[in-house]
Amino acid sequence: DVKVTQSSRYLVKRTGEKVFLECVQDMDHENMFWYRQDPGLGLRLIYFSYDVKMKEKGDIPEGYSVSREKKERFSLILESASTNQTSMYLCASTTPGQGSNQPQHFGDGTRLSIL
Amino acid sequence: AQSVAQPEDQVNVAEGNPLTVKCTYSVSGNPYLFWYVQYPNRGLQFLLKYITGDNLVKGSYGFEAEFNKSQTSFHLKKPSALVSDSALYFCAVRDMGSNYQLIWGAGTKLIIKP
């Protein structure tokens, strides 16, 4: 089974701090994604990466950056945390597949609170 | 614009009864459609997908979904609900402008009462 591991289940940080969320997958997937999940809004894509050192902005990249130095690891960085970034953050991975019909595999999420 | 709608925020069903969670979509071209489930404090798990072929797709945990092109719908169904099916369900469709991105519905909370 594919395993996507997020480094923290719960995290509490203060406004203005630099925050790192880590994600590791063990299936050699090319594509990795960072989403935030808020009630009633579904999943919103922050950034995704289709290869090492490659990244593309999603729908809500403002206030975030990412790093993909190794294929298995995709990091989300909050440059200067703000209270409106309090949310559940989900990492996912997938292979490109044929016509990109492959499902995404998710980690268990990091519930981040910014005080 | 491409979009996915889950018109019900919450669906309540008695255990043993059939359940339906609705999803409609708006995309250009042929859609790739997915259903995922999220249990409390967990990530999303893939249930099933429609790519092409038979309009009735079977997936995990006894779930199935029916693709209806004329109604642009992809409703999730199960003949007999279990209390353990209580969870948050998401419908998603591939963004035809991208090879990898999915467009997500807002989610439907399914509550199965004993």
Side-chain angles (χ1 to χ4, degrees), chain A residues 90-112:
Chain A
L90 294 167
C91 175
S93 72
T94 189
T95 58
Q98 185 177 4
S100 63
N101 61 11
Q102 298 304 307
Q104 296 184 12
H105 300 269
F106 284 82
D108 281 339
T110 296
R111 190 167 294 280
L112 176 64

mmCIF file of all heavy atoms in Angstrom, chain A residues 90-112:
data_model
loop_
_atom_site.group_PDB
_atom_site.id
_atom_site.type_symbol
_atom_site.label_atom_id
_atom_site.label_comp_id
_atom_site.label_asym_id
_atom_site.label_seq_id
_atom_site.Cartn_x
_atom_site.Cartn_y
_atom_site.Cartn_z
ATOM 1 N N LEU A 90 -3.330 19.022 4.031
ATOM 2 C CA LEU A 90 -3.262 17.656 3.525
ATOM 3 C C LEU A 90 -2.240 17.557 2.403
ATOM 4 O O LEU A 90 -2.221 18.384 1.497
ATOM 5 C CB LEU A 90 -4.621 17.207 2.984
ATOM 6 C CG LEU A 90 -5.739 17.074 4.012
ATOM 7 C CD1 LEU A 90 -7.083 16.934 3.315
ATOM 8 C CD2 LEU A 90 -5.499 15.872 4.906
ATOM 9 N N CYS A 91 -1.413 16.533 2.484
ATOM 10 C CA CYS A 91 -0.444 16.226 1.441
ATOM 11 C C CYS A 91 -0.945 15.022 0.661
ATOM 12 O O CYS A 91 -1.565 14.112 1.239
ATOM 13 C CB CYS A 91 0.913 15.934 2.067
ATOM 14 S SG CYS A 91 2.187 15.397 0.921
ATOM 15 N N ALA A 92 -0.682 14.990 -0.635
ATOM 16 C CA ALA A 92 -1.088 13.859 -1.468
ATOM 17 C C ALA A 92 -0.024 13.590 -2.514
ATOM 18 O O ALA A 92 0.781 14.460 -2.856
ATOM 19 C CB ALA A 92 -2.435 14.129 -2.145
ATOM 20 N N SER A 93 -0.037 12.356 -3.041
ATOM 21 C CA SER A 93 0.883 12.011 -4.119
ATOM 22 C C SER A 93 0.186 11.114 -5.120
ATOM 23 O O SER A 93 -0.813 10.456 -4.797
ATOM 24 C CB SER A 93 2.134 11.321 -3.570
ATOM 25 O OG SER A 93 1.849 10.004 -3.138
ATOM 26 N N THR A 94 0.714 11.075 -6.338
ATOM 27 C CA THR A 94 0.181 10.202 -7.363
ATOM 28 C C THR A 94 1.196 10.046 -8.473
ATOM 29 O O THR A 94 2.123 10.842 -8.601
ATOM 30 C CB THR A 94 -1.155 10.751 -7.932
ATOM 31 O OG1 THR A 94 -1.763 9.779 -8.776
ATOM 32 C CG2 THR A 94 -0.931 12.013 -8.739
ATOM 33 N N THR A 95 0.996 8.997 -9.278
ATOM 34 C CA THR A 95 1.765 8.875 -10.507
ATOM 35 C C THR A 95 1.005 9.600 -11.612
ATOM 36 O O THR A 95 -0.221 9.724 -11.533
ATOM 37 C CB THR A 95 1.947 7.414 -10.910
ATOM 38 O OG1 THR A 95 0.631 6.833 -11.068
ATOM 39 C CG2 THR A 95 2.696 6.647 -9.848
ATOM 40 N N PRO A 96 1.685 10.048 -12.658
ATOM 41 C CA PRO A 96 0.975 10.699 -13.760
ATOM 42 C C PRO A 96 -0.051 9.778 -14.384
ATOM 43 O O PRO A 96 -1.143 10.162 -14.726
ATOM 44 C CB PRO A 96 2.077 11.063 -14.746
ATOM 45 C CG PRO A 96 3.301 11.125 -13.925
ATOM 46 C CD PRO A 96 3.138 10.110 -12.854
ATOM 47 N N GLY A 97 0.288 8.494 -14.530
ATOM 48 C CA GLY A 97 -0.665 7.539 -15.071
ATOM 49 C C GLY A 97 -0.971 7.799 -16.529
ATOM 50 O O GLY A 97 -0.430 8.687 -17.154
ATOM 51 N N GLN A 98 -1.864 7.018 -17.051
ATOM 52 C CA GLN A 98 -2.273 7.182 -18.434
ATOM 53 C C GLN A 98 -3.398 8.202 -18.480
ATOM 54 O O GLN A 98 -4.504 7.949 -18.034
ATOM 55 C CB GLN A 98 -2.736 5.843 -18.999
ATOM 56 C CG GLN A 98 -3.077 5.898 -20.464
ATOM 57 C CD GLN A 98 -3.464 4.538 -21.007
ATOM 58 O OE1 GLN A 98 -3.539 3.578 -20.246
ATOM 59 N NE2 GLN A 98 -3.707 4.453 -22.292
ATOM 60 N N GLY A 99 -3.114 9.372 -19.023
ATOM 61 C CA GLY A 99 -4.121 10.426 -19.035
ATOM 62 C C GLY A 99 -4.459 10.915 -17.663
ATOM 63 O O GLY A 99 -5.540 11.442 -17.439
ATOM 64 N N SER A 100 -3.530 10.753 -16.736
ATOM 65 C CA SER A 100 -3.684 11.223 -15.352
ATOM 66 C C SER A 100 -4.978 10.715 -14.734
ATOM 67 O O SER A 100 -5.724 11.474 -14.119
ATOM 68 C CB SER A 100 -3.597 12.740 -15.277
ATOM 69 O OG SER A 100 -4.635 13.356 -15.975
ATOM 70 N N ASN A 101 -5.269 9.418 -14.894
ATOM 71 C CA ASN A 101 -6.467 8.848 -14.294
ATOM 72 C C ASN A 101 -6.185 8.134 -12.984
ATOM 73 O O ASN A 101 -7.031 7.417 -12.478
ATOM 74 C CB ASN A 101 -7.143 7.894 -15.281
ATOM 75 C CG ASN A 101 -6.221 6.734 -15.656
ATOM 76 O OD1 ASN A 101 -5.180 6.542 -15.042
ATOM 77 N ND2 ASN A 101 -6.601 5.982 -16.660
ATOM 78 N N GLN A 102 -5.010 8.316 -12.448
ATOM 79 C CA GLN A 102 -4.650 7.640 -11.208
ATOM 80 C C GLN A 102 -5.141 8.430 -10.003
ATOM 81 O O GLN A 102 -5.097 9.659 -9.999
ATOM 82 C CB GLN A 102 -3.136 7.460 -11.126
ATOM 83 C CG GLN A 102 -2.569 6.609 -12.238
ATOM 84 C CD GLN A 102 -3.220 5.258 -12.297
ATOM 85 O OE1 GLN A 102 -3.278 4.538 -11.298
ATOM 86 N NE2 GLN A 102 -3.754 4.910 -13.463
ATOM 87 N N PRO A 103 -5.614 7.740 -8.955
ATOM 88 C CA PRO A 103 -6.078 8.454 -7.761
ATOM 89 C C PRO A 103 -4.924 9.068 -6.988
ATOM 90 O O PRO A 103 -3.784 8.622 -7.094
ATOM 91 C CB PRO A 103 -6.759 7.355 -6.945
ATOM 92 C CG PRO A 103 -6.085 6.098 -7.373
ATOM 93 C CD PRO A 103 -5.765 6.288 -8.822
ATOM 94 N N GLN A 104 -5.245 10.071 -6.215
ATOM 95 C CA GLN A 104 -4.279 10.653 -5.307
ATOM 96 C C GLN A 104 -4.328 9.902 -3.973
ATOM 97 O O GLN A 104 -5.388 9.485 -3.527
ATOM 98 C CB GLN A 104 -4.561 12.138 -5.111
ATOM 99 C CG GLN A 104 -4.386 12.941 -6.391
ATOM 100 C CD GLN A 104 -4.577 14.427 -6.193
ATOM 101 O OE1 GLN A 104 -4.635 14.928 -5.077
ATOM 102 N NE2 GLN A 104 -4.670 15.162 -7.302
ATOM 103 N N HIS A 105 -3.159 9.761 -3.353
ATOM 104 C CA HIS A 105 -3.041 9.108 -2.050
ATOM 105 C C HIS A 105 -2.691 10.177 -1.027
ATOM 106 O O HIS A 105 -1.748 10.934 -1.237
ATOM 107 C CB HIS A 105 -1.967 8.030 -2.095
ATOM 108 C CG HIS A 105 -2.257 6.961 -3.100
ATOM 109 N ND1 HIS A 105 -2.954 5.830 -2.791
ATOM 110 C CD2 HIS A 105 -1.969 6.874 -4.422
ATOM 111 C CE1 HIS A 105 -3.066 5.072 -3.867
ATOM 112 N NE2 HIS A 105 -2.488 5.686 -4.877
ATOM 113 N N PHE A 106 -3.431 10.181 0.081
ATOM 114 C CA PHE A 106 -3.327 11.264 1.052
ATOM 115 C C PHE A 106 -2.673 10.828 2.354
ATOM 116 O O PHE A 106 -2.824 9.676 2.804
ATOM 117 C CB PHE A 106 -4.729 11.796 1.382
ATOM 118 C CG PHE A 106 -5.305 12.660 0.314
ATOM 119 C CD1 PHE A 106 -5.917 12.102 -0.801
ATOM 120 C CD2 PHE A 106 -5.244 14.047 0.409
ATOM 121 C CE1 PHE A 106 -6.455 12.905 -1.801
ATOM 122 C CE2 PHE A 106 -5.774 14.860 -0.581
ATOM 123 C CZ PHE A 106 -6.377 14.290 -1.684
ATOM 124 N N GLY A 107 -1.975 11.777 2.972
ATOM 125 C CA GLY A 107 -1.558 11.612 4.347
ATOM 126 C C GLY A 107 -2.728 11.900 5.281
ATOM 127 O O GLY A 107 -3.815 12.291 4.836
ATOM 128 N N ASP A 108 -2.498 11.740 6.581
ATOM 129 C CA ASP A 108 -3.564 11.920 7.568
ATOM 130 C C ASP A 108 -3.806 13.381 7.929
ATOM 131 O O ASP A 108 -4.727 13.678 8.694
ATOM 132 C CB ASP A 108 -3.257 11.126 8.836
ATOM 133 C CG ASP A 108 -3.591 9.652 8.680
ATOM 134 O OD1 ASP A 108 -4.400 9.339 7.779
ATOM 135 O OD2 ASP A 108 -3.048 8.839 9.437
ATOM 136 N N GLY A 109 -2.997 14.268 7.408
ATOM 137 C CA GLY A 109 -3.232 15.684 7.635
ATOM 138 C C GLY A 109 -2.498 16.242 8.834
ATOM 139 O O GLY A 109 -2.150 15.522 9.774
ATOM 140 N N THR A 110 -2.258 17.553 8.777
ATOM 141 C CA THR A 110 -1.707 18.302 9.908
ATOM 142 C C THR A 110 -2.696 19.399 10.253
ATOM 143 O O THR A 110 -3.005 20.231 9.404
ATOM 144 C CB THR A 110 -0.351 18.937 9.563
ATOM 145 O OG1 THR A 110 0.601 17.909 9.297
ATOM 146 C CG2 THR A 110 0.138 19.807 10.711
ATOM 147 N N ARG A 111 -3.182 19.348 11.483
ATOM 148 C CA ARG A 111 -4.089 20.414 11.922
ATOM 149 C C ARG A 111 -3.236 21.502 12.551
ATOM 150 O O ARG A 111 -2.662 21.322 13.621
ATOM 151 C CB ARG A 111 -5.124 19.877 12.903
ATOM 152 C CG ARG A 111 -6.218 20.883 13.203
ATOM 153 C CD ARG A 111 -7.402 20.259 13.915
ATOM 154 N NE ARG A 111 -8.130 19.297 13.113
ATOM 155 C CZ ARG A 111 -9.025 19.610 12.187
ATOM 156 N NH1 ARG A 111 -9.305 20.876 11.922
ATOM 157 N NH2 ARG A 111 -9.655 18.664 11.521
ATOM 158 N N LEU A 112 -3.146 22.614 11.869
ATOM 159 C CA LEU A 112 -2.271 23.715 12.258
ATOM 160 C C LEU A 112 -3.087 24.847 12.869
ATOM 161 O O LEU A 112 -4.064 25.302 12.271
ATOM 162 C CB LEU A 112 -1.503 24.224 11.037
ATOM 163 C CG LEU A 112 -0.613 25.448 11.235
ATOM 164 C CD1 LEU A 112 0.522 25.142 12.207
ATOM 165 C CD2 LEU A 112 -0.059 25.917 9.898
#
